[in-house]
Amino acid sequence: MAMTRRRRARMVRTAQYAVLVAALLAVALAADWGELRRAFFDVEVARSLFPDIITTALVNTVVYTLFGFGFGLVLGLVLALMRLSQVPPYRWLSIAYIEFFRGVPALLVFIALGFGVPLAFHVALDRYVTVMLALGLVGAAYMAETIRAGIQAVPKGQMEAARSLGMSHGRAMVSVVIPQAFRIVLPPLTNELILLTKDSSLVYLLGLSLDQYELAKFGRDALNQHRSLTPILVAGLCYLLITLPLGHLVRRLEARTAKAR
């Protein structure tokens, strides 16, 4: 008797589960759990990291990210408007900026701002200012394209309606178009915030005092001190404390946007 499609699908699914369970068992049996526990799950080492990893490293990571995101958002909006401008030099400048900073690694931007700018202009930038500029310059290139797409997604009738009410082009953009564009691009902007959170780890290149440590630098120094990978694991978990709620927020916003359509 020929096998029905439903039965065949059930057998395939059962086989996939069996392969997955076998692979997990193979990994579990092959791993040296005692060595893993000593390397990654040393409770005493983890306990010694608190409360500094929260009160200093986690707080600094959030501050660096928010400063960079705020600066990048403002600059990204300006670049997006320049990109949509009818004046060719503005468009060219915006395109050149976006292409440059999207093509250059964030690492090089941190190095240029941390060491190149002080040498070139004989100024010593505050660490928080340097990080804000570096993260903002990189983030703005991505956010500009996101905001531009959001502005272009707003129906043209919205602008025409605003102009028919006597608003100038600038006021119609500020009061009508841009607020709607931000509602559209809120999920991708939140994704950019998550990416900047991880990029904030590059601040270690600038040389930091203890009270300026962020999570990655804190974890790496603690690793050298304790000769255990537990600090890296704890630092990673602290990153998740920031990124998981943001990821959940993105999914909620995307669902709300899809429902509104």
Side-chain angles (χ1 to χ4, degrees):
M1 187 173 65
M3 186 181 297
T4 64
R5 181 179 299 177
R6 187 174 180 180
R7 188 177 179 187
R8 190 183 303 118
R10 191 186 305 141
M11 289 184 65
V12 170
R13 196 162 50 244
T14 303
Q16 290 172 341
Y17 286 141
V19 170
L20 179 61
V21 170
L24 290 175
L25 280 175
V27 171
L29 292 174
D32 186 341
W33 290 102
E35 192 60 34
L36 278 175
R37 187 188 62 77
R38 282 190 291 275
F40 287 96
F41 306 104
D42 191 320
V43 177
E44 290 304 317
V45 171
R47 191 175 297 164
S48 70
L49 303 176
F50 291 91
D52 291 344
I53 195 169
I54 299 295
T55 58
T56 300
L58 181 61
V59 169
N60 278 334
T61 298
V62 172
V63 170
Y64 293 146
T65 303
L66 290 181
F67 278 6
F69 183 79
F71 175 63
L73 187 62
V74 174
L75 182 57
L77 175 59
V78 173
L79 289 167
L81 294 175
M82 290 173 63
R83 183 87 162 76
L84 295 170
S85 171
Q86 299 299 318
V87 183
Y90 286 165
R91 290 202 307 274
W92 299 337
L93 282 173
S94 176
I95 291 171
Y97 178 95
I98 291 168
E99 294 301 326
F100 178 79
F101 279 98
R102 285 201 310 183
V104 172
L107 179 72
L108 298 185
V109 178
F110 270 84
I111 293 174
L113 281 173
F115 304 103
V117 170
L119 286 175
F121 299 99
H122 303 289
V123 293
L125 296 176
D126 179 83
R127 284 288 174 264
Y128 289 97
V129 174
T130 306
V131 176
M132 179 190 73
L133 290 175
L135 289 177
L137 289 173
V138 174
Y142 294 93
M143 285 189 264
E145 286 296 85
T146 301
I147 296 170
R148 178 184 63 82
I151 291 174
Q152 290 178 321
V154 176
K156 291 182 179 177
Q158 296 291 316
M159 171 62 83
E160 292 168 357
R163 295 301 300 272
S164 69
L165 293 174
M167 292 185 186
S168 65
H169 183 273
R171 185 176 175 189
M173 285 293 289
V174 172
S175 302
V176 178
V177 177
I178 291 177
Q180 293 187 61
F182 269 97
R183 276 201 294 274
I184 294 171
V185 302
L186 206 50
L189 284 181
T190 310
N191 273 327
E192 185 60 34
L193 180 60
I194 294 174
L195 294 176
L196 286 182
T197 301
K198 292 184 285 187
D199 281 347
S200 68
S201 63
L202 295 173
V203 69
Y204 80 92
L205 290 166
L206 305 178
L208 301 172
S209 59
L210 283 173
D211 61 339
Q212 294 173 327
Y213 276 16
E214 45 69 51
L215 286 169
K217 175 67 174 170
F218 188 95
R220 190 165 48 252
D221 277 16
L223 179 151
N224 294 331
Q225 179 185 349
H226 297 286
R227 304 287 182 188
S228 168
L229 292 167
T230 303
I232 298 297
L233 178 66
V234 176
L237 293 175
C238 289
Y239 274 112
L240 291 178
L241 289 177
I242 303 171
T243 58
L244 287 181
L246 289 174
H248 178 69
L249 178 62
V250 170
R251 288 191 292 277
R252 291 286 299 271
L253 292 172
E254 287 175 341
R256 182 179 297 180
T257 303
K259 192 175 180 181
R261 288 173 182 168

